[in-house]
Amino acid sequence: DGGITQSPKYLFRKEGQNVTLSCEQNLNHDAMYWYRQDPGQGLRLIYYSQIVNDFQKGDIAEGYSVSREKKESFPLTVTSAQKNPTAFYLCASSAGQGRTEAFFGQGTRLTVV
Amino acid sequence: AQKITQTQPGMFVQEKEAVTLDCTYDTSDQSYGLFWYKQPSSGEMIFLIYQGSYDEQNATEGRYSLNFQKARKSANLVISASQLGDSAMYFCAMREGGYSSASKIIFGSGTRLSIRP
């Protein structure tokens, strides 16, 4: 079945460590997105990518980095520069033509202790 | 600047009643798309309905309909005959550029809907 896979579902890290969240899609979508969600809040855009080897900052990119070396993959690194990294992270992808809603992964809940 | 506003943090509705969730948006683009998503307590994001800025008719998907008022820049979600399973967070979202994927998708702050039996 086609879809978006985020791993792991739960992730614990010590403060000061970088951590990379995985996002893989087999929907052949061009665009991919990373969002952060804090409890009871909406989704805030971290980074997005329209094509391979290209990506743009969203509204809250500071302390995060991404890469888009393959169409299927868009990993997100939460660096030690991110002041408050504990949150729920959602990855999404969308197609280029027609109905272009975003399809979401199951999310990764990151806890930094 | 692109912006989505949802002014209802929470709503309580009796089962089987209809409910309207408000969404207003701001964009300078003539071509854009509007979406509604449902997020149950599990955290997954479920796509509900889509409305393109050039669509002349309001979108409908089963019990969901989108009341699109372009001049007012509003895109309210209407759920008819609410069910207990409709209890969830609901998010309004927008992408500028219409049918192109070459633009970001932004979300509102959400409305928590609770259905009373």
Side-chain angles (χ1 to χ4, degrees):
Chain A
D1 287 337
I4 300 178
T5 301
Q6 288 186 245
S7 61
K9 189 173 182 179
Y10 298 96
L11 188 56
F12 295 86
R13 278 295 181 269
K14 290 185 178 180
E15 192 172 346
Q17 290 182 336
N18 291 355
V19 60
T20 297
L21 280 59
S22 170
C23 179
E24 303 278 333
Q25 56 100 356
N26 60 4
L27 300 167
N28 199 33
H29 285 168
D30 289 317
M32 297 188 73
Y33 312 82
W34 273 107
Y35 293 90
R36 169 181 172 140
Q37 187 178 28
D38 293 290
Q41 303 297 313
L43 280 65
R44 292 186 290 168
L45 183 63
I46 304 172
Y47 270 98
Y48 63 109
S49 168
Q50 302 165 18
I51 56 173
V52 174
N53 293 323
D54 186 49
F55 47 83
Q56 289 78 40
K57 292 182 179 179
D59 299 319
I60 56 165
E62 185 175 350
Y64 300 96
S65 65
V66 293
S67 63
R68 187 85 187 276
E69 298 176 0
K70 298 186 299 182
K71 188 175 185 177
E72 304 80 30
S73 179
F74 192 40
L76 173 74
T77 296
V78 184
T79 75
S80 57
Q82 169 52 232
K83 300 300 182 188
N84 186 19
T86 295
F88 186 52
Y89 291 88
L90 284 158
C91 178
S93 70
S94 68
Q97 296 297 325
R99 187 157 140 162
T100 53
E101 75 267 25
F103 292 79
F104 282 82
Q106 294 297 306
T108 292
R109 197 167 298 278
L110 173 64
T111 302
V112 176
V113 295
Chain B
Q2 194 181 10
K3 187 178 180 181
I4 294 282
T5 303
Q6 295 181 253
T7 58
Q8 307 154 308
M11 290 187 70
F12 288 89
V13 174
Q14 203 68 30
E15 189 180 7
K16 299 180 184 176
E17 288 184 350
V19 56
T20 297
L21 305 182
D22 295 341
C23 173
T24 58
Y25 60 92
D26 190 18
T27 178
S28 57
D29 205 325
Q30 295 301 310
S31 180
Y32 51 89
L34 297 157
F35 312 85
W36 277 92
Y37 284 85
K38 173 183 178 180
Q39 187 181 44
S41 57
S42 60
E44 63 181 312
M45 294 290 286
I46 302 169
F47 167 73
L48 297 177
I49 197 166
Y50 168 82
Q51 179 85 41
S53 60
Y54 292 119
D55 293 343
E56 294 185 354
Q57 294 196 348
N58 288 342
T60 60
E61 291 284 350
R63 293 188 300 114
Y64 304 108
S65 60
L66 200 152
N67 184 2
F68 182 47
Q69 298 188 41
K70 195 170 182 177
R72 294 186 176 183
K73 291 189 175 179
S74 74
N76 299 340
L77 177 70
V78 180
I79 305 175
S80 64
S82 57
Q83 302 171 356
L84 296 178
D86 293 334
S87 294
M89 281 287 283
Y90 288 81
F91 293 100
C92 181
M94 177 174 67
R95 183 214 310 278
E96 290 178 332
Y99 288 100
S100 168
S101 69
S103 54
K104 59 185 179 181
I105 302 175
I106 62 165
F107 285 76
S109 56
T111 295
R112 182 171 297 281
L113 177 63
S114 300
I115 308 298
R116 293 179 171 137

